[in-house]
Amino acid sequence: AQGEVLERLRAAGGHAPVAELVRDRPSLRGAVDRLAELGALRIEEEREARMPGVMAGEVAARPEPTGDQDRVLHVLREAIAGGGYSPFVLHGVTGSGKTEVYFRAAEAAVEAGRGVILLLPEIALTPLLVRAAVGRFGPTVAVLHSELSGGERHDQWWRIREGESRIVIGARSAVFAPVPDLGLLIVDEEHEGAYKQEDSPRYHARDVAVMRAKLESVPVILGSATPSLESHANAAKGKYRRLALPVRIGPRGLPRVEVVDRRETMKAGADPILTPPLREALAECLARKEQSLLLLNRRGYATSLLCRECGQQASCPNCSVFLTLHRGGRHALCHYCGYQVPAPSACAFCRGEYLRLTGYGTEKVVEAVQSALPGARVGRLDRDLAMRRGAVEKVLADFETGEIDVLVGTQMIAKGHDFPKVTLVGVIDADVGLGMPDFRAAERTFQLLTQVAGRAGRADLAGEVILQSHLPDHYALRLACAQDYEGFFEREMEFRRTMGYPPSAALVNLVLRSRDPAAAAADADAVARRLREGAPGRYRVLGPARAPLARLKQEHRFQILLKGDRTSMREAVRRALVERYGETRWPGVAVDVDPVSVM
Ligand SMILES: [Zn+2]
Ligand SMILES: [Zn+2]
């Protein structure tokens, strides 16, 4: 290996970055060190000037901490200086200044000579936070994001491993970054589902962060305006320590919330997308030259194509879902497998030609705003846009500089950084997530509404939120409007306890799939029977049943849910699968322990 290294070094002209030398064979890294010890070569430190693309940061003044921030930081600094595993839940309402707490805690760790990992749910949606961090900490920041090329990613990992980068910012996989002498882990927006990797290897980056903090004996901060039920329950049990930032910074306080009952406006024959109160508020906001956000958590133009002759809807040939219409209704797309075709002109069932677009998504909302407010500059932010490289950054930058008056989007708009000129937030249909057959539906709705409402009004401008709903009495909506986290937690925990759902019990979701529905059903029956025979009393077995997404990518899916003691369930599932399939390969089986979603 040493000969190989010297050979490569000679070929490179006697001088090369370490990372370049071992790029295709990382195992040579040890030989480089040994040669350096022998004096055969010298490793010189050289600062890499090039920072990847979007991440140039301007140096901003460090804001003076408020009293609340000071109190929280005092506790964190002690934990960082003292070392040892200590998990914190930082519960800070939107606009309370969590970011400044992260930055100052990171400074404390770096000053003590330790490294820091800061996890964000999605890097592209928080360019302001990333830029602020780069501006604040300079070249010691490494940013791991999905648009890095393989080579850039490799460079970043080496810089981290060599201790050149002491602060690592990245999405979920950055939790594995090889930071030497780690001193602090921070998980921002810890309640976000994006931290869960949904295909193998399945892991939840928040849980990995807590485990890593335990293994490396360091503090970990889980921050959110709406902590997950899991984390809040752990804090209530005393497993985590709770830190609070209960008030918004600035003179204005939380925004005023108005709920529009769509059942009433429908009866009055009003536009279903922009009800009169929302339309007026938009016009006033535009006249004041301030900005608005409009949330609809459903992308596309129309939700389905309905045949008026037979009542059937155009559906995906591979999945048991309806096709969504995009690009003004000209294009039909499956959101689950990516199947796409030009919108059919005749019904696939009866060949009828009277087809009607039903429902609406973000594209249609843009159209509605443009026709209601002809002078407004309207932008859109959703997954369709995110397919184009750099498009998300462009829209966010245009919104930040005031090139866009009204930004329409899915949940992606609820997650960004603060936009100080946004004074109006409209939620077109607050009920979108509540109909999902998933035990976290209410929690996700509460979180999304609380987060998006928190985007209204910052700095010196008062904020207003208008929420349109068919279910204005639903507790998730009512409590989100009141920004009553504790109230929601109590209510939702009661539901979880009654139903035996996390965090009151552990859950395992077992999905068995096959192109042959009979084979999948037979496997599911056999595995469920075996599970019922094992360890009575330690867990309960529900199913098998057809999964809510009964067919996906041409495969039929059956689901078995287990509730109870995690260790017993894990063991029992392993035994049952080994018995059915043997030790090594379990084709078409997905075992999801602590699932984020059970679709
Ligand atoms: Zn038809
Ligand atoms: Zn499909």
Side-chain angles (χ1 to χ4, degrees), residues 307 309-312 347 349-352:
C307 171
E309 309 258 317
C310 72
Q312 296 276 10
C347 172
F349 300 91
C350 74
R351 310 310 309 164

Side-chain angles (χ1 to χ4, degrees), residues 545-565:
R546 294 196 68 117
L549 258 173
R551 198 159 153 265
L552 183 66
K553 298 176 186 170
Q554 302 195 351
E555 291 181 314
H556 295 266
R557 304 166 79 239
F558 287 82
Q559 187 178 49
I560 302 169
L561 273 179
L562 290 87
K563 296 174 178 178
D565 173 64

Side-chain angles (χ1 to χ4, degrees), residues 174 241 264 308 310 314 387 445 487 516 571:
R241 183 157 169 201
E264 298 300 319
R308 292 206 222 183
C310 72
M387 308 284 260
T445 300
D516 174 1
E571 253 316 292

Side-chain angles (χ1 to χ4, degrees), residues 259 261 263 469-479 491:
V259 179
D261 187 338
R263 292 169 302 190
S469 167
H470 284 104
L471 305 163
D473 300 324
H474 192 286
Y475 65 98
L477 264 63
R478 257 192 311 105
L479 296 167
R491 175 73 202 257

